[in-house]
């Protein structure tokens, strides 16, 4: 969709539809007030009659409003003005886009970004409007034999800013929103693809395409090279599957040549059956999303390159399938990781940490500024934080704070859990240096504690996106999270040198 920024009066717009907000108790927003004045009180009449009360989720489409150049005016309910915060703003934009898509107009001008949102600025409003609009219109139709019929598409969206002097701020917000939205779309598409299409080889192919489009350096390691590195833990998971594993290394160089890179590590299990510790059948299809960490690394790199952020970022993606077979890991097997530490595989379904630990060891040779891994790692994280917050654990509080703050800024929030040494006791094994599970209590934390044993040489944070990377049920689909969080995190790092 084409998205532009504009300033100017709502009654003078010539697009197919102008969108203005109405607060609860029929209180018009500034733009609605202007429409009302130019129409000689036409809007006030409608509000008085009670056809639109300003409640959240309500909308009303008007035709041929007197004194207004454009054919349609869409009123969107904003809820109570005092409670108009980031979530309410995003909901209002989503309602507006849905209503526009239903009417079938091809272009519209939105007077919503100019409405003050508590603690947020104009650039944020614009960025979020772009993100919410793209997210609302997103459809995954790659696997359908023909495109779904029905609604005509909204092709052009113009976001109004209050004054001409604010056009530049609006443009900057829109540019960041567009870059993040493109990264989010890439992550969603990869997540939504089925496991028989999105294999480790396919992920590597897509990484190659991204690298050539975005100007990234890329290396894709195959099984023999992964063996040569000594990644025995990663390979122990991969060997249960007929699909060949890959280890993908992507480098974005936006900073000086010698500057230490931020390293992003993404879990790339293209299907997680659980292996010999096989999962129950219900909802197992959703384990195609077990590569969403990897997808978020690709999406983030795409956005960072688009924004030309002045810093260095390296993406590491260990990718394979977790399948049961005659060659698969068995409970009780002991494997040797690249770090030399041995691991007793008590549950083959705790495979994410087994592939990530070797990637974390590999990261040491990049002399990283810091390392952030992103993984759909534990069902326990869904129990702890639901589908709202990503789990965050770190061996460095400064890095944790940066990521928490970036999540707030991006409205892609994370919540920190403790990573005290006490939890690592649960990983003790009688037969190897550690076990790969720590029992039911604190499952998200013991998983992170396991990874922490491989991340001792640098500042490291772990994002558990098991609850946030995709939605289940009727709206099943990838979310593209935490691409917005990561892009904000990197943008801030780039800003601060
Ligand atoms: N990919 C899963 C985690 C997961 C499960 C994410 C459900 C989202 C929804 C991971 O590989 C896994 O199976 N983890 C196990 C760990 C357990 C065996 C210690 C889990 O969470 O049950
Ligand atoms: Mn698993
Ligand atoms: Zn998994």
């Amino acid at each position: 969709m084409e998205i532009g920024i504009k300033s100017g009066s709502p009654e003078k717009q010539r697009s197919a539809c102008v969108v203005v907000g109405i607060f609860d108790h029929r209180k018009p927003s500034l733009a609605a007030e202007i429409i009302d004045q130019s129409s000689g009180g036409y809007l006030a009449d409608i509000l008085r009659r009670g056809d639109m009360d300003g409640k959240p989720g309500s909308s009303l489409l008007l035709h041929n409003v007197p004194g207004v150049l454009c054919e349609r005016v869409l009123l969107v309910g904003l809820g109570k003005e005092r409670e108009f915060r980031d979530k309410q703003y995003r909901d209002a934009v989503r309602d507006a886009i849905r209503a526009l898509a239903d009417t079938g107009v091809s272009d519209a001008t939105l007077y919503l970004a100019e409405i003050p949102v508590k603690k947020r600025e104009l650039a944020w409003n614009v960025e979020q409007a772009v993100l919410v609009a793209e997210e609302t219109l997103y459809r995954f139709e790659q696997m359908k034999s023909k495109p779904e019929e029905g609604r005509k598409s909204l092709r052009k969206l113009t976001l109004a800013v209050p004054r001409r002097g604010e056009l530049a701020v609006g443009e900057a917000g829109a540019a960041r929103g567009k870059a993040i939205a493109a990264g989010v779309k890439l992550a969603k598409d990869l997540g939504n693809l089925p496991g028989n299409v999105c294999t480790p080889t396919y992920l590597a192919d897509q990484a190659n395409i991204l690298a050539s489009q975005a100007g990234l350096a890329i290396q894709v390691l195959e099984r023999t090279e992964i063996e040569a590195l000594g990644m025995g833990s990663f390979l122990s998971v991969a060997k249960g599957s007929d699909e060949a594993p890959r280890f993908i290394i992507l480098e974005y160089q936006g900073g000086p040549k010698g500057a230490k890179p931020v390293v992003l590590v993404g879990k790339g299990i293209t299907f997680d059956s659980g292996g010999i510790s096989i999962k129950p059948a219900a909802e197992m299809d959703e384990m195609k999303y077990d590569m969403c960490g990897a997808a978020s690394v690709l999406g983030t790199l795409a956005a960072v390159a688009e924004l030309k952020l002045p810093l260095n970022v390296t993406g590491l993606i260990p990718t394979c399938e977790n399948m049961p077979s005659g060659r698969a890991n068995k409970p009780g097997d002991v494997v040797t990781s690249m770090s030399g530490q041995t691991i007793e595989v008590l549950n083959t379904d705790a495979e994410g940490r087994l592939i990530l630990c070797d990637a974390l060891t590999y990261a040491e040779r990049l002399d990283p500024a810091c390392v952030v891994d992103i993984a759909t790692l534990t069902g326990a994280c869904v129990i702890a934080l639901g589908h709202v917050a990503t789990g965050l654990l770190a061996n460095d509080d400064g890095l944790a704070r940066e990521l928490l703050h970036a999540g707030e800024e991006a409205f892609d929030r994370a919540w920190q859990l403790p990573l005290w040494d006490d939890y690592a006791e649960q990983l003790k094994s009688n037969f190897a240096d550690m076990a790969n599970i720590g029992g039911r209590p604190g499952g998200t934390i013991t998983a992170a504690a396991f990874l922490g044993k491989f991340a001792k040489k640098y500042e490291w944070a772990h994002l558990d996106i098991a609850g946030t990377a995709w939605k289940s049920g009727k709206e099943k689909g990838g979310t593209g999270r935490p691409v917005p969080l990561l892009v904000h995190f990197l943008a801030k790092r780039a800003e601060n040198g």
Side-chain angles (χ1 to χ4, degrees):
M1 188 177 38
E2 187 189 331
I3 299 179
I5 304 293
K6 195 177 207 180
S7 72
S9 265
E11 81 283 8
K12 295 189 188 126
Q13 301 305 317
R14 289 189 179 276
S15 56
C17 188
V18 162
V19 181
V20 298
I22 307 289
F23 285 110
D24 203 354
H25 291 100
R26 306 166 195 177
K27 182 176 185 297
S29 64
L30 198 60
E33 191 72 59
I34 295 171
I35 296 259
D36 185 53
Q37 275 160 22
S38 354
S39 67
Y42 185 86
L43 224 59
D45 263 358
I46 285 175
L47 295 178
R48 205 172 308 116
R49 269 187 245 127
D51 290 359
M52 162 51 117
D53 53 11
K55 290 265 186 308
S58 62
S59 66
L60 180 67
L61 185 66
L62 306 173
H63 291 269
N64 304 318
V65 176
V68 173
L69 280 182
C70 102
E71 257 172 58
R72 302 172 191 79
V73 174
L74 177 68
L75 308 181
V76 176
L78 305 174
K80 294 199 176 66
E81 189 168 16
R82 269 187 309 119
E83 292 169 11
F84 196 66
R85 297 174 179 277
D86 35 27
K87 178 182 182 297
Q88 289 72 19
Y89 170 73
R90 285 173 49 103
D91 288 349
V93 174
R94 190 176 303 114
D95 294 339
I97 300 294
R98 282 207 184 119
L100 288 169
D102 287 343
T103 64
V105 294
S106 65
D107 72 304
T109 307
L110 234 64
Y111 284 81
L112 294 179
E114 58 171 17
I115 302 172
V117 178
K118 284 223 168 69
K119 294 191 185 159
R120 302 295 192 179
E121 283 165 5
L122 180 63
W124 186 89
N125 289 12
V126 171
E127 175 188 316
Q128 291 290 323
V130 172
L131 281 166
V132 172
E134 293 289 4
E135 176 184 294
T136 309
L137 296 172
Y138 176 86
R139 296 283 176 284
F140 182 75
E141 294 180 337
Q142 280 185 60
M143 303 308 291
K144 306 251 188 197
S145 57
K146 43 186 177 296
E148 225 128 283
E149 305 217 344
R151 53 179 86 178
K152 276 176 257 144
S153 62
L154 186 60
R155 274 194 297 272
K156 186 170 172 225
L157 192 63
T158 305
L159 304 173
V161 296
R163 281 169 292 275
R164 277 179 64 179
E166 284 158 327
L167 282 170
V169 171
E171 294 285 359
R176 184 179 282 192
K178 285 178 199 178
I180 296 174
V184 163
K185 180 182 179 335
L186 175 59
K188 283 185 181 181
D189 282 345
L190 291 170
N192 288 333
L193 280 168
N196 62 329
V197 173
C198 186
T199 59
T201 317
Y202 180 91
L203 266 188
D205 290 345
Q206 294 308 303
N208 263 311
I209 293 172
L210 171 66
S212 61
Q213 283 172 350
L216 313 175
I218 183 165
Q219 246 181 299
V220 176
L221 309 186
E222 306 198 349
R223 194 189 303 266
T224 48
E225 296 156 290
I226 302 169
E227 273 165 7
L229 284 168
M231 294 185 168
S233 184
F234 173 26
L235 285 169
S236 78
V237 178
K239 71 186 162 64
S241 165
D242 290 343
E243 288 290 342
R246 293 285 184 267
F247 189 82
I248 306 167
I249 305 154
L250 281 159
E251 277 174 87
Y252 165 76
Q253 202 188 98
K257 212 168 173 70
K260 296 182 175 193
V262 173
V263 176
L264 303 178
V265 180
K267 172 178 174 183
I269 295 289
T270 58
F271 188 75
D272 181 11
S273 70
I276 297 297
S277 313
I278 199 160
K279 289 181 180 293
E283 277 133 49
M284 204 205 271
D285 65 289
E286 295 188 7
M287 283 298 116
K288 70 175 182 179
Y289 288 111
D290 214 16
M291 35 55 69
C292 282
S296 76
V297 171
L298 296 177
T300 299
L301 283 167
V304 162
E306 167 80 31
L307 291 169
K308 300 193 166 60
L309 293 184
L311 85 171
N312 297 336
V313 186
T314 302
L316 298 179
I317 297 174
T319 172
C320 68
E321 269 185 345
N322 186 24
M323 297 291 276
S325 84
R327 267 168 288 105
N329 266 335
K330 302 176 292 299
D333 283 2
V334 175
V335 302
T336 303
S337 66
M338 182 179 177
S339 72
Q341 299 177 92
T342 59
I343 303 160
E344 185 185 13
V345 182
L346 285 177
N347 189 317
T348 66
D349 198 10
E351 86 299 340
R353 59 198 84 180
L354 293 177
I355 74 167
L356 290 168
C357 69
D358 283 341
L360 290 173
T361 301
Y362 183 90
E364 286 175 12
R365 49 176 78 186
L366 303 173
D367 189 21
C370 66
V371 178
V372 181
D373 80 72
I374 308 102
T376 47
L377 204 63
T378 63
C381 194
V382 190
I383 303 303
L385 299 174
H387 302 288
V388 177
T390 290
L392 165 67
L393 300 101
N395 67 8
D396 182 89
D397 273 330
L399 178 58
R401 266 195 301 276
E402 281 180 63
L403 289 161
L404 288 171
H405 185 251
E408 278 299 332
E409 285 293 301
F411 202 78
D412 179 10
R413 294 162 298 180
W415 195 258
Q416 192 176 6
L417 299 174
L419 191 59
W420 299 316
D421 291 342
D422 311 54
Y423 289 100
E425 312 243 338
Q426 288 172 236
L427 296 170
K428 287 204 164 126
S429 161
N430 287 347
F431 305 103
D433 296 344
M434 70 193 85
N436 77 329
I437 54 169
R440 302 239 312 150
T444 301
I445 306 177
T446 53
F450 177 95
L451 295 177
K453 290 177 179 290
F454 301 84
K456 294 213 185 270
K457 304 215 171 121
Y458 43 68
E459 290 173 13
W460 159 76
H462 161 64
L463 293 170
D464 193 330
I465 55 169
T468 51
W470 76 91
K471 288 183 185 158
S472 310
K474 232 177 79 145
E475 293 189 13
K476 193 187 287 183
T479 61
R481 292 179 68 182
V483 170
L485 179 158
L486 290 168
V487 175
H488 273 261
F489 163 68
L490 293 166
K492 193 53 141 236
R493 280 230 156 191
E495 229 175 81
N496 299 336

